[in-house]
Amino acid sequence: MANIQEIAKLAGVSSATVSRVINHKPHVSSETRAHVQQIINQLDYVPNINAVSLKKGATKMLGIVAPTFSDSLGTFLKNFTLAAQQGGYNVTLFLTGLDKQKELEAFERLRNKQLDGLVLVIRLNEWDVLESYAKYGPIVTWQRVEDRNIQSVFMNQYDGYMLALEHLYEKGYRKIVNAYGNTAGLNTKSREKAYADFCQKYDLNPNEFKHFYNQGHMSEGETMARWWVDQTHKPDAFVMATDYLASGLVTEAKRLGLSIPQDFAVVGFDNTLVAHLLDLTTIHYPIGKQGENAFIMIDNQLSKRTNPLEALSFHLVERLTT
Amino acid sequence: MANIQEIAKLAGVSSATVSRVINHKPHVSSETRAHVQQIINQLDYVPNINAVSLKKGATKMLGIVAPTFSDSLGTFLKNFTLAAQQGGYNVTLFLTGLDKQKELEAFERLRNKQLDGLVLVIRLNEWDVLESYAKYGPIVTWQRVEDRNIQSVFMNQYDGYMLALEHLYEKGYRKIVNAYGNTAGLNTKSREKAYADFCQKYDLNPNEFKHFYNQGHMSEGETMARWWVDQTHKPDAFVMATDYLASGLVTEAKRLGLSIPQDFAVVGFDNTLVAHLLDLTTIHYPIGKQGENAFIMIDNQLSKRTNPLEALSFHLVERLTT
């Protein structure tokens, strides 16, 4: 492919003049400009943008990092990407699976200036390791972190979870089973705290039933339906970590000939498509807006702006499972 | 941040020597190498990879372009990205919505050498426009194209659709309604052809019922359930463009008090999570493997390899809606 020197030679001008034409700089006569542009077009010359971004020191590229994107995290990915594109950035996707090295590779790209900023949806490495990269560019996470050089778009799960519990109480349910997600996460701790406070408020025994932890896959929801059948002392309601998990419980219950909410009530979490399809009562979680906020936080840091964040709140969506 | 010149000055060696150390090149004594490396570590110097890729002429970055990623296309995105990462590439995501300009921007990045190759899942611009970029790097599409400088991972929808029709016939259904996707697409034409051939084979009137076109959203499936109620001459089966569309039909039918498959049978397409949740009979469509094949095609072109593609075939998944 042609380079600036060849264009200069063919046009009979200096390389500096060619560069001024390419970069739309002044001090070139319109006649010379047209002549040089014609040669550029003939040669099908394209400036190498990697060289341009090398000079400018910004790649206008952001990274988004997660083990996988499914269900509600897909909405986060989409809204973050659309907001970034709107703001003049593109987004590189890093799927880490269970590979800590892959996660670090994304962070190394921040250090190497191949990314201007980074959103870490769900981490694999320790926070201390990841935080050490904060000096190379803005890092925002979806997870709850505090007292770190990493900003977070988290919402306090206590509030959303309490909405689910109060709704069940109002409907007359008193024998509630909780299915939590990742045990180690601060989100689970917030939900546990909500349940403890709820039990204290209404004088319920918080350990009347087993608590389920690390529940994620739909098949684990299916297993819980079969667990319910086997119990002699049966709970009358389930609060499930996600709609996806709740969907397994509800569909398996129907296959077993049970009636919901007559046999037991179910509340999901997230308000995804699956909740609409199965008429699940659930907690609406504005995860798309969190994706937009993640971009605003990064953009504010990179561009020294103070654009306001979207206001975020949970609300109950009552359907047919309570 | 430090640069090579500063490191050279502090180490008392030439810039060329520093460069040889950084790039692990020979002709530097181990003593000098250790000394230079120590200074590099002290200064926390990081080579700018954009400069490196500028020199090598390959960015090891691929693009994936689509209006949006939801449902089964999310699986395509995931599998393509995982395969690309495995092969040493990263993937930038371009969400085009309805913006033709955004699609062209992705193609311009191929021309500008910011991408080594590109997967176009669903196009917005004309093929002629997009094909003109094929000289800058490999382009692979999920859509059906023929006689173009663009490779495709498409599967012949005729085969999958015929599986659905033959299954309905075997089960005794004769009054079949078709809900097709994008009218302009070659996939729809293949499905129409399958239905025409099917009707001829069994001496059925292909125009006994209305054909639905451009059906995509779940709410359009819901509308079809209400349409069925209003008909005096009623069909006994529906073949739906996607599981997602079928899910609207099935859930609305249940809300209306209808029984499936007693009132009518439903076959979906794709075999996604939704089909499992709703016990939909559907056609399994190996869209994840198509994502892997898209990477193999690009990698074969970029690396002059001839790795074999995954074999792809449709199959019927019989559940409770037929």
Side-chain angles (χ1 to χ4, degrees), chain B residues 8 30 40 98 111 127 170 190 208 210 212 233 237 248 307 313:
Chain B
S30 59
I40 287 173
L98 296 171
R111 177 156 122 137
W127 285 121
E170 198 186 309
S190 300
E208 186 175 351
K210 177 182 173 176
F212 288 81
H233 178 54
N307 285 334
S313 66

Side-chain angles (χ1 to χ4, degrees), chain A residues 44 46 49-50 68 78 85 90-93 95 102 112-114 136 218 251 255 276-277 279, chain B residues 44 46 49-50 68 78 85 90-93 95 102 112-114 136 218 251 255 276-277 279:
Chain A
D44 201 16
V46 182
I49 303 281
N50 292 324
T68 186
K78 253 185 278 185
Q85 290 182 176
N90 281 304
V91 175
T92 294
L93 179 62
L95 292 179
K102 186 70 205 166
N112 292 335
K113 299 173 172 302
Q114 293 176 292
Y136 304 114
M218 194 171 61
T251 52
R255 287 185 199 112
H276 172 86
L277 272 178
D279 293 313
Chain B
D44 201 15
V46 183
I49 301 284
N50 292 323
T68 186
K78 253 184 278 182
Q85 289 182 175
N90 281 303
V91 175
T92 295
L93 181 60
L95 292 180
K102 186 69 204 166
N112 292 335
K113 299 172 174 303
Q114 292 177 293
Y136 303 115
M218 194 168 63
T251 52
R255 286 184 199 112
H276 172 85
L277 272 178
D279 293 313

